[in-house]
Each structure stands twice: as C-alpha cells, then as structure tokens.
Amino acid sequence: MEAIITKKERDLKTEEMVVQMGPQHPSTHGVLRLEVTTEGEVVTDVKPIIGYLHRCFEKHCEQMTNYQQVIPYVDRMDYVAAMAMEWSYVLGMERMLGIQVPERVEYIRVIMAELQRIASHIIAIGTYGLDLGAFTPFLYLFRDRELILDIFERTCGARLLYNYFWIGGLSHDIPPEFVDKVREFVKQFKKTIVEVNNLLSYNEIFIKRTANVGILPADVAINYATSGPVLRGSGVKWDLRRDDPYSIYDRFDWEVQVGKGEMGTVGDCWDRYMVRCREMEQSLKIIEQAVEQIPPGDVQSAIPKRIRPNPGEIYVRTEAPRGELGFYIVSDGTNSPYRVKGRSSCFVNLSVLPEISRGYMIADLIAILGSIDIVLGEIDR
Amino acid sequence: MEKFLVDIFGSEITAYIIIAIIPLIFIVPYALFAVWLERKVSAHMQDRLGPMYTGGWHGWAQTIADIIKLLQKEDIVPAAADKKLHLLAPYIVFIGSYAAFAAIPFSSEYIGSHLNLGIFYIIAVSSLVVVGLLMAGWSSNNKWSLFGAMRSAAQIVSYEIPTALSLLAVVMIAGTLNLQEINKMQSGWFWNWFIFSKFPFVFIAFLIYFVASLAEVNRTPFDIPEAESELVAGYHTEYTGMKFAMFFLAEYANMFAVSAIASAVFLGGWNSPFGDFMSGPIWGVFWFVAKGMFFIFVQMWLRWTLPRTRVDQLMYVSWKVLTPFAFFCIFAIGIWLML
Amino acid sequence: MNAIQILEKLKSKFPDAILDAKVEGVIEPYAKIKPELIKEVCQFMRDDEELNFDYLMCLSGMDYGKGVLGVVYNLNSIKHKHKFTLKVEVASDAPNVPSIESIWKTANWHEREAYDMFGIIFIDHPDLRRMLLPDDWEGHPLRKDYQVQEFYHGMKVPY
C-alpha cells in the first residue's frame, strides 16, 4: 500500500521546464535568446542571452583612420533611431573640440531627432500591439512612419541609416519643401495618435494584458540605471533633454511625460507604453514650434577640416528614443579615437528584465519584453 | 434528398456516400475562399490591398497557388517526433470538424443525417478536435507545441460548457435537439427567429454562444493556443506541407461549423428573413451560407481589431462570466416557459 | 555640488584611497581610486546624503597600454544632477577589481562586458560570464595587444 502511494507521489511531482525563447522567435525583436524557466505557464526565471548580433563596434572605432568614419557605424547601433545615435556621438566630439554649431543646424537637428523619436516610438508601439495580438494598429502607424522616412529621404537620401549629422554640421541642407512636408506630417499624425489611442491604448483587452504587469518600482529602475520611457514609466521625471540640457530644447514648450499608474500600478507595462504615446505628442509639439523658427544660414560652416582633439576623454549622453545613449570617448591626440564605449540604453534596460518578469506568465513575459522596447543592434553593438 | 438519390442510383450506399461527400465539396472551395477573404478583409482594414496579382482580379487565385505550393512542399517530420501520432493528428483534427457537418442542415431538403440528437451530436463529435490537437502538440516533441496543445485542450474543453448551455436555452424553447426541426420552427419572417424570442434571454444566450464559439475555434481574442507572438505557432509549429494545410482546412471548416450552428439555432438557418420571399430549398442554401459567411466575416473583423487575452483571463471569462450567465439564461427561460 | 566639493568630500572620507585626481581643466572631472577600495568608495558615494550618486551611467573597461587595464565609472545623481567619474587602474597580469554589482545592479552587465572585452576579473561578481562573445572564445578583443585566434570550431577567423 505504502509503495503505491509513494509511486503516485513520484508521478505527480511537477518539474520546472526550461524553454529557449529565441534566437528565432517572433517576439524577441531580433536575435535575442531568453532562457526561460517555467513552472507550467508561470515564469520562474529568465536569463537573457545576447551577442548574436555583435559587430565589434567598439573595436571598429579604434581601427578608424579618423573621427568622422565612426558616424556610419554609430548609425548601425540602433538602426531604427539612427539620427539619435549620430547626435550623441557628434555632440560628444563637438564638446571635445569646442565647436559651436550654427543655429540653423541646431534647429534642423532638433526636428530630425524628434521626427526620429516619433518614428522609433511608432515601431515600439506598433510591435507592442503585434506582440499582444493586435495587428492592425501596427500598420496604421507604419503608414505614417513612411511619411517620416520620406522626409528623411528627401533630405539626405537615406531611409534608415543616414550619416546625416556630421561633426560640426550636417551632410546636406534641408530641401525647400521640407517645412511643408513636416507640417503635413504633423497634421496627419495628430489624427493617427487619436486613432491608435482609441484602437489600442484604451482597449479593454489591451489594458487587461498590460496593466499591473511587469511592475518596475522607481528605486529599482534607478538602481538598474534604466532610462528613457522605462524609467519615466516608473514615475521618475528624468529626461536628459531637460535634466542634462543639450542643444536648444530649452527654447521650446514641452513637458516630460511620466507614468501615473492610471490603469494599474505606477511602472507597469501600460505606463511604459503610454509614456511613449504621450512622448510622441510632445515631440510633435516641439517639431511644430521648431519648424516655424528655422533661421537661415550655412549648415556646413562649422565643420572642421581636420579633427584631432587634445588628449582627454568625455562621457556624453543624449536622450535617444529608448533612453540615455552615452558615448565614452577617449582621445590620445591622434586622428582616431583611442577608445569608444557605447553605453546603450537598451542594453541597460534589458538587464532589468529578469527582475520584473519573475512570477508572471509566458504571455506576460512577451508583454514585459515588448514594453522595454529593445533593439538588438544597439544591445549587441 | 436521400430518396431522390436512392431513386437515381438504385443503391443506398452510393446515395449516402454522395450525401457524405457534398459537405467536402463545399468545404474545400469554401476554405480557399475564406482564406482569400481573410487576407482581403484584413488588408482593407489595415489600409492595404492584400493579394492583387495571382489570377487577375483582386488576386482571387492566391490561395489556390498557395495550396499548390503546400502540396509540393517537403513533408518534414522531426527526428525525435512520435511519428505515428504526428502523422495522424492533422487528420483527426479534420475528421472532428468535418464530422460536425453531418448534422448541419444546409437546406430544407439537404442534411447529412436526420439525427434526433443533432445539436448533441455536433457538440460531442467536435470534441474530437481536442484529441487531435493534443496529439499534434505532444508528438511534435517541441515545448512550444506542447504549450499550445495544453492551452487549446484547456480552452476548448472549458468553452464547450458555455457553448452547450447557451444552445440548451434554445433547445428548451424548441423542445427538440434536431436541427432540421429547430429550423422549421423559425420559418416565416425574421421575427420568428429564436434570437428574438423570449427577449432578451435568448439574445444573451446567442452572445454567449458567439463568444464561446470564438474560443472553440481559436480565433482572436482567444487564439492563445497558436499565439504566434508567444508560442511561435502553437501545436502546428512542427508541421509542414499538406499536413499543415490540413490544420488550416480544419480551422476554417470549424469556423464555418460554429457559424452555421449559430445561424441554424438562432437566426433561422435556411429560412429567408422575409417570409416567402426568395425561399425554397435552393434559396435555403443561399441564405444558410450567407448567414454563415456573415459570422465568418465578424470573426475576421474581431481578429484584426482586438488584441489577444491571456490564458488565465480566458479561463476567467469562461468559468466566471459566460457559464453563470448561461445558467441564468436557462433558468430564466425555464421559468418563462413554465408561466 | 560641483566637482571640487565632491573631491574634497571624498578626500576627507578616504584619505588614502585617492591616488590621483583632476577636476579642473578637464571635461570629465575624475578621481583615481585604489582598486581595493573602490567598493567602499562607491558605497559611500551612493549612500551619502549630499553626494547621492544613485545612478551609474556607464562602466567602461579600458586598456591604457603598457600592461595597464582600467575601469571607468561614470556616476550621476538624479536628485542633485551632478556627475563625477571614478577610475581604477590594475596591472593586466592580475586584473582584479572588486565588483560593485551589489551597489548598482546595472553594473552586473557592464562588468560582464568589461570582463568579456578586457579580461578584467570582478571579484564577487555573481555571474561573471562572457556577455557578447561566445563562451569558448579565446582572448579579450579590446585589449590593445589582442591577437585574434586562428580557428574557431574549425572556421578560420582572420580573413
């Protein structure tokens, strides 16, 4: 009798199962592998394993013959927000060399960076809907992303990897129809935001899936040095455009958006998602103001002929769409950088994933990963 | 119809084989059409055009081309799979959904089998699908497939309860389980349909049935067994070629089956909505298919609009929302009938 | 607080920890810390009310050449909005640096990356594995004297 019972008990024992999510999985947004330990549908542990897209960015930088050559490589870090990537590096070099760029360049850079932020958030929001099974908002948003890419293409000839921001200036001036096209886009996109909010943000099922899921408390968010919408979603009012000012953001009227826990707890997936939605509105606001004030001038007047900074170092950071993008650049006085370290926002944001996904279900893990919004190009560099 | 066929062929067996084949003749072109329709519907909802080239007019031949492609594909069976089950699973799934067509009245003159227990039979036989899905998930030897199979087994079994209960509401009014009889009771104008009788209880039952049927056929917002962003493709991750096509065929056949039951039980089936206008056995087929297709369109509409729920939320909806409400409807209708 | 005050505060608290410092005439004011004491210094930097460096912006490995490796810590305070840089230097034949993972969790992945790229060993790190490169890769690529391996699983590496 006893033997039977023990046998039964042994048979009833549950075991944890390890599943490999990725590197070829539809929801990992690239070649990311998550080693997920599950107990039935419940996730007990997640180990992100990265490096599948490593392209030796930092080693490449050291091998360059001059500082400008780094810019195309920087583009390829976060390939859906290349303008923002360029700006950070270029800004660092300008500070190092002490270059003051012309007003016109600043305005164009702000417009470009904010357009890029919208384009990048479009991907974040669209694919987030996709992760949760809502296909349609994704395509509505991509329709408008095309308009942004068209503007970029008209300006610099490229749609994804621009090499547009140069140290001290820009590669091309804006075309004559630029201002009209941007106005047209702003007008169109205001409607799209409303449409997406109706279709996705305030959808009952969507809220059920995202509210109170993957809660990231503010102190944990800071301790993990998360940044961008992930940090702001946890209610920390921290935006480098405001708190570590660069360029001319202080001239415009806009506000830092933070998660308020409207649908659940502060710092849940819905908050992170909604911060992005609201940031797009703020970006539109900045663009609207900036596009009316572009001063005349030459965009290439401040470009130095030869770039050879004094020995020294700089850590520069800007607010890229996904958070704080930093470059730690060390110069040894020669024509090429001695060391460039890319402090990738996604890299740091992803490291918080195991912390916030324990105890949720597999479906929630997808929702949490999507709300962090990673681009593997930037993580693996 | 049986009599007519027996008269022509002089043999009952031939006649019944023909009767049995008729739904198949319907399902295959219907599935081709429905896949094409799904792509067009989704495309137009999303500001796209969808397939436009194959076959000329609006890419009508796209799914035919797809089927030809699928037929040519290599049939891959994973090395560590349980081969017998792996082979058998798609056919069991299809049998489960195809067998349901036996008791579906396409017209006043055509029904596969005059079963007195029509509804009961359909509910019972469509449960066979679960076996096939579990087999597919288990035999693939893939953890994602297993997840999908487990989810779908839990989901389909749970949702059969609200489905059956909501159908029971109508059965109580009709006093029969025979679908042909239920249809005959609803003849005349559309206000004779059961959906409008004992208002609003049957209407609530209809809504419960529709939501539950979405879950039974794994459509969004309840498509979690094959949630492509979570489970890659769920139970059919490891299937290729024609076996994959069988799953697809079964899914679309199932979609029509649940839509057909909805229209037969609640919306008058093959009856014309306008009394004698356009009624008769041939028009009956038209009305029946049209009502079915309408529901299929609604299913597509929902799929391309809504996000997906989570497993526990899905169970919550079934056990804590739909089932109590279905009981309530039955109870209310029972009292109404007694008074 | 500005960089001079921060350095003063550090000096008064850890008189023998600071090997070298430069706060004027450079873009990034920094202090060079004794490797053994970096953890204590970091703990103090984070917990002190006035300093309150709660945000580790970046942690970079460095190879200064001539057999000297280093780690650079870029710190930031969200509350006070000031920044400061700490540096440590170790010999490349014994590159041991105490891990600060317990102070700022974000250091976990940064330290793994520095280990991966420079071979710096972070003592007491909970999970010191390679970050970006395969586990069986040979050498640490961002070292200035790095020689790429000939073959990796039978594939020729240099081309």
Side-chain angles (χ1 to χ4, degrees):
Chain A
M1 194 65 195
E2 258 185 307
I4 295 167
I5 291 165
T6 42
K7 188 179 178 291
K8 231 180 190 171
E9 275 171 356
R10 201 180 61 221
D11 289 348
L12 285 171
K13 196 183 73 179
T14 58
E15 248 178 68
E16 289 189 335
M17 181 160 81
V18 178
V19 283
Q20 302 289 343
M21 195 179 269
Q24 288 143 343
H25 186 278
S27 291
T28 52
H29 297 239
V31 276
L32 165 72
R33 177 152 69 96
L34 298 176
E35 212 175 272
V36 187
T37 314
T38 61
E39 174 109 44
E41 285 259 352
V42 179
V43 174
T44 53
D45 197 16
V46 188
K47 267 190 204 154
I49 294 161
I50 61 172
Y52 292 93
L53 208 60
H54 182 51
R55 288 146 302 164
C56 321
F57 162 74
E58 289 166 18
K59 191 78 181 167
H60 273 305
C61 294
E62 293 173 15
Q63 312 291 325
M64 293 292 121
T65 52
N66 60 46
Y67 278 92
Q68 292 100 317
Q69 280 181 344
V70 175
I71 298 172
Y73 286 87
V74 170
D75 271 341
R76 281 151 182 81
M77 277 177 65
D78 183 350
Y79 39 76
V80 297
M83 290 280 187
M85 300 290 117
E86 287 166 16
W87 201 2
S88 192
Y89 174 75
V90 163
L91 189 73
M93 288 315 298
E94 280 159 7
R95 282 194 188 155
M96 221 168 174
L97 295 160
I99 297 171
Q100 183 63 44
V101 296
E103 284 273 285
R104 185 176 174 81
V105 173
E106 293 282 25
Y107 274 94
I108 296 171
R109 280 184 182 178
V110 166
I111 295 168
M112 288 301 190
E114 293 309 311
L115 283 173
Q116 183 76 82
R117 188 183 311 279
I118 293 172
S120 170
H121 282 348
I122 280 176
I123 293 189
I125 291 168
T127 52
Y128 194 44
L130 214 55
D131 286 347
L132 298 178
F135 203 103
T136 306
F138 173 71
L139 285 152
Y140 286 180
L141 285 163
F142 259 54
R143 177 190 62 201
D144 288 5
R145 184 169 174 268
E146 279 306 294
L147 298 177
I148 300 179
L149 296 189
D150 284 345
I151 292 170
F152 288 165
E153 195 180 8
R154 272 164 196 278
T155 310
C156 61
R159 290 168 65 82
L160 198 65
L161 306 162
Y162 313 102
N163 190 12
Y164 182 59
F165 292 12
W166 283 2
I167 297 165
L170 301 165
S171 74
H172 301 78
D173 202 349
I174 49 172
E177 71 275 20
F178 179 83
V179 174
D180 287 336
K181 287 278 166 199
V182 172
R183 280 191 198 125
E184 221 171 85
F185 165 76
V186 171
K187 208 171 141 211
Q188 158 73 22
F189 197 63
K190 277 183 177 164
K191 285 185 230 153
T192 309
I193 291 182
V194 175
E195 201 173 37
V196 168
N197 277 340
N198 289 338
L199 196 58
L200 192 64
S201 312
Y202 295 104
N203 181 310
E204 191 63 33
I205 298 175
F206 181 76
I207 292 170
K208 277 257 152 56
R209 281 297 304 276
T210 53
N212 287 324
V213 168
I215 298 160
L216 176 62
D219 54 333
V220 177
I222 292 171
N223 200 256
Y224 270 92
T226 57
S227 50
V230 179
L231 182 63
R232 287 194 285 276
S234 298
V236 182
K237 212 162 189 173
W238 180 257
D239 190 315
L240 295 176
R241 288 174 287 173
R242 189 196 67 161
D243 295 304
D244 190 2
Y246 59 97
S247 191
I248 48 165
Y249 279 107
D250 48 352
R251 296 186 199 174
F252 306 115
D253 169 36
W254 63 284
E255 271 165 40
V256 179
Q257 298 296 318
V258 291
K260 302 184 196 93
E262 286 144 290
M263 297 297 161
T265 319
V266 178
D268 58 12
C269 290
W270 195 84
D271 273 350
R272 286 195 281 276
Y273 163 88
M274 208 56 204
V275 162
R276 292 196 180 92
C277 276
R278 293 186 179 137
E279 262 179 36
M280 294 203 299
E281 286 166 17
Q282 297 300 321
S283 292
L284 281 183
K285 238 170 135 181
I286 296 174
I287 293 168
E288 259 183 332
Q289 295 165 48
V291 85
E292 303 303 332
Q293 301 171 17
I294 303 175
D298 184 6
V299 296
Q300 298 194 322
S301 58
I303 295 177
K305 289 279 168 298
R306 186 158 176 225
I307 296 168
R308 181 180 270 192
N310 295 326
E313 60 186 32
I314 187 167
Y315 177 76
V316 64
R317 51 180 186 167
T318 58
E319 186 72 29
R322 282 170 184 78
E324 171 177 332
L325 174 75
F327 283 105
Y328 178 65
I329 307 167
V330 180
S331 152
D332 59 350
T334 55
N335 281 333
S336 62
Y338 184 75
R339 164 103 168 98
V340 177
K341 152 103 184 182
R343 187 266 194 210
S344 145
S345 45
C346 303
F347 179 83
V348 178
N349 289 350
L350 181 65
S351 69
V352 84
L353 177 75
E355 187 73 29
I356 57 174
S357 54
R358 282 188 200 113
Y360 292 101
M361 300 184 115
I362 288 185
D364 293 330
L365 179 62
I366 304 292
I368 295 166
L369 185 66
S371 74
I372 292 175
D373 179 29
I374 50 169
V375 168
L376 265 294
E378 195 189 347
I379 291 174
D380 290 348
R381 298 174 305 247
Chain B
M1 183 129 171
E2 296 98 310
K3 250 185 168 176
F4 174 68
L5 286 172
V6 172
D7 287 347
I8 291 178
F9 296 104
S11 141
E12 279 193 7
I13 295 168
T14 328
Y16 280 115
I17 287 175
I18 287 171
I19 286 175
I21 283 175
I22 288 173
L24 193 64
I25 297 171
F26 167 75
I27 289 172
V28 173
Y30 144 77
L32 291 177
F33 172 71
V35 173
W36 175 83
L37 185 73
E38 173 119 47
R39 295 170 90 165
K40 292 307 260 190
V41 166
S42 66
H44 285 282
M45 282 183 182
Q46 297 168 343
D47 265 7
R48 309 183 277 126
L49 290 170
M52 285 301 282
Y53 294 102
T54 320
W57 183 81
H58 281 267
W60 66 271
Q62 184 62 49
T63 37
I64 296 170
D66 283 348
I67 285 289
I68 293 169
K69 181 200 75 179
L70 281 172
L71 280 171
Q72 291 169 336
K73 276 203 163 180
E74 188 191 350
D75 184 22
I76 300 167
V77 181
D82 189 331
K83 293 215 173 50
K84 276 182 206 149
L85 293 184
H86 194 265
L87 282 174
L88 208 56
Y91 302 104
I92 290 196
V93 173
F94 183 67
I95 287 168
S97 52
Y98 182 52
F101 279 79
I104 290 177
F106 276 83
S107 141
S108 53
E109 292 303 315
Y110 175 75
I111 181 166
S113 168
H114 281 287
L115 284 174
N116 278 330
L117 293 169
I119 294 177
F120 185 70
Y121 164 79
I122 289 173
I123 290 170
V125 82
S126 58
S127 302
L128 198 62
V129 173
V130 184
V131 180
L133 298 185
L134 269 177
M135 276 164 72
W138 177 258
S139 67
S140 297
N141 198 17
N142 177 327
K143 286 167 183 170
W144 297 117
S145 300
L146 189 60
F147 266 125
M150 287 305 174
R151 281 182 178 191
S152 69
Q155 171 177 341
I156 295 176
V157 170
S158 326
Y159 272 86
E160 254 163 25
I161 291 158
T163 313
L165 288 176
S166 56
L167 291 177
L168 210 57
V170 171
V171 170
M172 281 170 71
I173 300 170
T176 172
L177 284 162
N178 188 332
L179 274 169
Q180 200 66 295
E181 294 295 320
I182 289 174
N183 268 353
K184 277 180 192 150
M185 286 177 186
Q186 305 180 64
S187 58
W189 288 79
F190 57 85
W191 52 77
N192 288 345
W193 293 354
F194 276 134
I195 188 171
F196 300 117
S197 71
K198 307 279 181 286
F199 194 80
F201 300 113
V202 180
F203 192 76
I204 295 170
F206 166 73
L207 291 180
I208 292 169
Y209 173 79
F210 187 70
V211 173
S213 73
L214 282 178
E216 278 222 39
V217 294
N218 301 338
R219 298 290 292 185
T220 312
F222 307 117
D223 66 337
I224 56 164
E226 47 194 271
E228 75 278 352
S229 57
E230 292 157 28
L231 302 183
V232 189
Y235 50 83
H236 56 61
T237 308
E238 298 288 353
Y239 282 88
T240 54
M242 207 49 218
K243 282 191 275 179
F244 172 74
M246 284 305 266
F247 277 117
F248 235 70
L249 192 62
E251 184 184 324
Y252 279 88
N254 248 339
M255 272 167 72
F256 188 80
V258 295
S259 308
I261 295 164
S263 70
V265 173
F266 294 98
L267 294 174
W270 38 257
N271 286 305
S272 160
F274 315 110
D276 286 338
F277 175 68
M278 286 167 76
S279 69
I282 307 289
W283 279 114
V285 175
F286 166 77
W287 285 117
F288 190 76
V289 172
K291 286 168 189 169
M293 290 312 283
F294 171 73
F295 282 114
I296 284 166
F297 171 74
V298 176
Q299 286 177 354
M300 290 173 181
W301 184 4
L302 289 174
R303 173 167 179 186
W304 298 106
T305 311
L306 295 176
R308 181 184 304 125
T309 53
R310 206 170 56 208
V311 183
D312 55 327
Q313 291 162 352
L314 178 96
M315 292 298 164
Y316 175 88
V317 171
S318 169
W319 291 106
K320 294 196 174 165
V321 182
L322 295 182
T323 310
F325 271 99
F327 269 119
F328 167 72
C329 283
I330 291 179
F331 192 65
I333 291 167
I335 289 174
W336 192 320
L337 287 173
M338 273 176 65
L339 292 176
Chain C
M1 284 175 109
N2 63 26
I4 301 166
Q5 289 166 315
I6 294 169
L7 184 67
E8 283 309 314
K9 184 139 193 170
L10 269 184
K11 267 187 179 157
S12 61
K13 176 82 186 169
F14 298 99
D16 20 308
I18 295 159
L19 302 173
D20 181 18
K22 209 165 187 186
V23 288
E24 279 170 290
V26 286
I27 305 169
E28 300 291 333
Y30 71 88
K32 209 173 271 177
I33 310 287
K34 255 188 194 165
E36 310 85 70
L37 288 172
I38 184 70
K39 195 170 172 182
E40 285 75 23
V41 173
C42 286
Q43 189 80 51
F44 172 72
M45 298 275 274
R46 190 194 72 176
D47 293 341
D48 186 78
E49 264 308 303
E50 277 181 348
L51 298 176
N52 201 350
F53 283 102
D54 49 4
Y55 195 88
L56 176 69
M57 295 189 286
C58 188
L59 187 156
S60 325
M62 282 294 296
D63 183 355
Y64 293 106
K66 301 190 195 83
V68 179
L69 294 179
V71 184
V72 181
Y73 306 84
N74 298 92
L75 308 178
N76 173 44
S77 164
I78 290 213
K79 194 174 161 199
H80 303 302
K81 294 186 186 172
H82 53 219
K83 293 191 261 184
F84 200 71
T85 304
L86 299 178
K87 291 182 179 182
V88 297
E89 280 182 11
V90 283
S92 64
D93 45 358
N96 296 321
V97 179
S99 167
I100 53 158
E101 192 265 350
S102 56
I103 301 166
W104 294 289
K105 290 277 178 207
T106 182
N108 189 330
W109 282 26
H110 281 303
E111 285 179 352
R112 276 178 68 188
E113 194 190 326
Y115 162 72
D116 191 355
M117 293 300 168
F118 294 93
I120 298 165
I121 312 287
F122 290 93
I123 303 160
D124 294 337
H125 190 284
D127 184 26
L128 197 63
R129 288 176 295 133
R130 283 191 181 267
M131 187 86 234
L132 297 169
L133 300 182
D135 286 342
D136 48 359
W137 193 261
E138 287 166 28
H140 300 284
L142 282 180
R143 284 196 185 188
K144 293 288 175 189
D145 56 357
Y146 171 67
Q147 289 295 322
V148 82
Q149 65 197 61
E150 276 289 301
F151 288 97
Y152 177 70
H153 287 290
M155 292 175 277
K156 200 165 178 301
V157 180
Y159 58 93

